[in-house]
């Protein structure tokens, strides 16, 4: 209705109607779920439709933004059945006793975990806290349990159609997501309050006795220019028209002179993260179908990215040599990437994943070797010899790049049989170099121009005396050798193996020797 101009965009206000509620966070919550944000809606009038919509909104937020309640869990309560101030604690499950929602008897939290293992809806959330020595719990001043997040609310404070004052709490492992979820809930349903779009704040005192007031409904500000918007969407519209279009998308706009626009983003638009999102909103309001298609003024010829072209050529050659291509995950565990390969000293080279969902995907691989060995271990029934190869990216920490990391395209070949197959791997490496037109420097003294050479190495992953580092133009680009028996044992591989791993990016150049990488 705002888009169609039938209603004005709502203005949300945080107003304390008197003594505001307080939530105190105990230090023990840092062990499991450290954040909580709260708000109150006063004078709410529910109908069957709005009540169901309220429940549906929470379910949808739990499924997407809250990531199945792992990041945020929402609790809504009838404030008239409770007495503040509230406290957020983490206690052993045996000490938490309450009557959960839709039940008629008391459970302690440990028994409740067993009870809900047969519940089709709630059993999917039990893993979030069931292995923790302490469970999060919220009490009021009378010791009444509001909720056991992220599992279930208490029956005592359940919301009904007669509820007038709603207390909302969002416990979280991610403070930013918690704020977004709380803002979404209160802005969506503050229209049903006795004073529409007015929210009562709650004072939250954290583990360090620092006080914060929630919700934070402040506006984010972006500066955009008329020229940037018109260039991005391909339509020449004036600043006034851009401002009109953005208001239809519920964005506040103020002209700031010289064609510049100051765009203020309300809390309902948490999807606006960058100026390009504002350009997109202008295009949506204008209508994509209203943007006239034009023939570009310049002619360009599309072609395959040179590194991908080189990769496809090498894949074809490896297949002709008799190797089978594999495609593995770009993420692996710390144990596989370093401990199993005896490379603990190289652990600082990896880009790690924050809050990994499983131990199998803790970091971005720094080598293709562990994934190739895992594939071999998973195919023990395959007849020997087994010859596998993969041509894919690894990710390495790099201070030279803006992102702090870089991709590196590598080729790995792995041979496993009744003998080590060292000569097979070495011969395959020589064949690849022959395909690339790179001569070999047999003396290893740099006398042959633009040649590759190898020299003995001492990498712990490979067998001593049966390994070598490959160099090209004076830089180390790879390694080959017989895999160390301890590494094979770590991956549960019974046959001896040899492998080479090669960085192919130095060979991506034209006939004049110019690098083709961007």
């Amino acid at each position: 209705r705002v888009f169609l101009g039938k209603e004005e965009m709502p203005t949300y206000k945080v107003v304390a109607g008197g003594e505001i509620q307080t939530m105190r966070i105990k230090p023990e919550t840092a062990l499991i779920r450290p954040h909580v944000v709260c708000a109150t809606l006063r004078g709410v009038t529910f109908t069957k439709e709005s009540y169901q919509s309220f429940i549906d909104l929470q379910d949808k937020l739990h499924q997407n933004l809250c990531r199945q309640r792992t990041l945020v869990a929402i609790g809504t309560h009838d404030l008239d059945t409770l007495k503040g101030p509230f406290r957020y604690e983490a206690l052993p499950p045996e000490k938490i006793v309450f009557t959960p929602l839709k039940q008629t008897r008391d459970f302690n939290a440990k028994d409740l975990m067993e009870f809900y293992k047969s519940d089709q809806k709630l059993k999917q959330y039990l893993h979030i806290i069931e292995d923790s020595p302490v469970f999060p719990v919220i009490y009021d001043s009378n010791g009444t349990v509001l909720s056991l997040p992220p599992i279930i609310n208490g029956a005592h404070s359940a919301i009904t159609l007669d509820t007038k004052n709603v207390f909302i709490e969002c416990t979280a492992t991610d403070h930013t997501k918690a704020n977004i979820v709380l803002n979404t809930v209160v802005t969506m349903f503050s229209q049903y309050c006795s004073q529409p779009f007015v929210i009562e704040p709650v004072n939250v005192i954290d583990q360090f006795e620092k006080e914060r007031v929630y919700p934070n409904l402040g506006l984010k500000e972006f500066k955009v220019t008329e020229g940037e918007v018109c260039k991005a969407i391909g339509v020449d519209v004036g600043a006034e028209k851009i401002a009109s279009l953005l208001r239809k998308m519920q964005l506040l706009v103020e002209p700031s002179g010289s064609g510049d626009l100051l765009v203020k983003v309300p809390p309902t638009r948490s999807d606006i993260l960058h100026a390009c999102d504002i350009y997109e909103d202008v295009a949506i309001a204008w209508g994509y179908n209203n943007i006239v298609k034009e023939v570009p003024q310049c002619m360009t010829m599309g072609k395959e990215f040179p590194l991908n072209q080189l990769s496809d050529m090498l894949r074809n050659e490896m297949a002709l040599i008799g190797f089978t291509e594999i495609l593995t995950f770009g993420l692996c565990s710390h144990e596989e990437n370093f401990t199993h390969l005896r490379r603990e000293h190289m652990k600082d080279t990896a880009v790690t994943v924050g809050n990994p969902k499983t131990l199998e995907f803790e970091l971005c691989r720094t080598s293709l070797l562990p994934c190739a060995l895992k594939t071999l271990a998973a195919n023990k029934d395959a007849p020997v010899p087994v010859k596998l190869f993969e041509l894919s990216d690894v990710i390495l920490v790099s201070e030279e790049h803006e992102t702090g990391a870089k991709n590196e395209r590598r080729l790995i070949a792995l041979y496993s049989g009744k003998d080590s197959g060292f000569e097979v791997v070495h011969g395959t490496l020589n064949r690849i170099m022959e395909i690339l037109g790179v001569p070999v420097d047999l003396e290893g003294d740099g006398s042959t121009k633009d040649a590759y050479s190898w020299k003995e190495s001492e990498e712990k992953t490979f067998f001593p005396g049966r390994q070598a580092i490959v160099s090209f133009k004076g830089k180390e680009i790879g390694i080959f050798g017989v895999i160390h028996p301890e590494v094979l044992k770590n991956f549960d591989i019974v046959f001896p193996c040899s492998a080479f791993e090669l960085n192919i990016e130095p060979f991506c150049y034209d006939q004049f020797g110019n690098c083709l990488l961007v």
Side-chain angles (χ1 to χ4, degrees), residues 9 243 246-253 263-266 269 272 277-278 281:
M9 186 175 71
L246 289 174
R247 290 188 187 102
K248 292 174 69 174
M249 302 299 290
Q250 298 196 38
L251 299 177
L252 300 171
V253 185
V263 181
K264 296 182 179 180
V265 181
R269 295 300 309 275
I272 304 292
D277 297 315
I278 296 173
D281 269 14

Side-chain angles (χ1 to χ4, degrees), residues 268-317:
T268 51
R269 295 300 309 275
S270 59
D271 58 311
I272 304 292
L273 304 176
H274 189 272
C276 63
D277 297 315
I278 296 173
Y279 307 157
E280 182 185 20
D281 269 14
V282 175
I284 292 171
W286 178 267
Y288 285 120
N289 292 335
N290 296 326
I291 299 175
V292 179
K293 296 179 181 179
E294 296 180 353
V295 178
Q297 297 180 359
C298 59
M299 183 63 69
T300 58
M301 298 294 292
K303 64 177 182 180
E304 190 175 9
F305 187 54
L307 185 58
N308 291 340
Q309 190 175 13
L310 174 63
S311 300
D312 288 342
M313 182 193 75
L314 292 177
R315 287 189 181 101
N316 185 57
E317 290 299 329

Side-chain angles (χ1 to χ4, degrees), residues 410-471:
R410 291 189 183 179
L411 167 65
I412 187 169
L414 176 66
Y415 178 94
S416 177
K418 294 181 178 179
D419 55 10
S420 68
F422 179 78
E423 66 285 350
V424 175
V425 168
H426 193 176
T428 303
L429 173 64
N430 291 341
R431 173 58 182 165
I432 292 300
M433 291 300 185
E434 183 181 356
I435 296 295
L436 294 170
V438 180
V440 59
D441 183 5
L442 295 175
E443 301 299 327
D445 56 3
S447 57
T448 306
K449 184 180 179 182
D450 295 342
Y452 78 99
S453 61
W454 58 81
K455 63 179 180 180
E456 187 176 354
S457 63
E458 297 180 355
E459 171 66 55
K460 292 183 179 180
T461 304
F462 297 93
F463 200 84
R466 298 284 286 174
Q467 56 175 294
I469 287 176
V470 182
S471 300

Side-chain angles (χ1 to χ4, degrees), residues 36-41 54 57 61 65-66 72-76 166-172 175-190 199-202 204 213-217 267:
V36 64
V37 295
C38 310
T40 303
L41 298 178
F54 190 53
L57 174 64
L61 287 171
L65 194 59
C66 300
V72 186
I74 309 165
T76 53
V166 180
F167 181 73
I168 304 167
E169 42 85 6
C170 298
T171 59
H175 188 258
T176 300
K177 287 287 192 298
N179 274 309
I180 293 173
V181 170
L182 180 66
N183 289 349
T184 302
V185 174
V186 298
T187 53
M188 291 296 100
F189 278 86
S190 58
I199 299 102
E200 183 178 301
V202 173
V204 177
V213 176
Y214 298 98
N216 179 9
L217 301 182

Side-chain angles (χ1 to χ4, degrees), residues 339-358:
T339 307
H340 283 3
L341 295 183
R342 308 175 76 206
R343 289 177 175 174
E344 285 288 353
H345 61 288
M346 299 173 65
K347 61 183 179 182
D348 293 335
T349 62
V351 176
T352 57
V353 178
N355 299 319
K357 190 171 180 65
T358 69

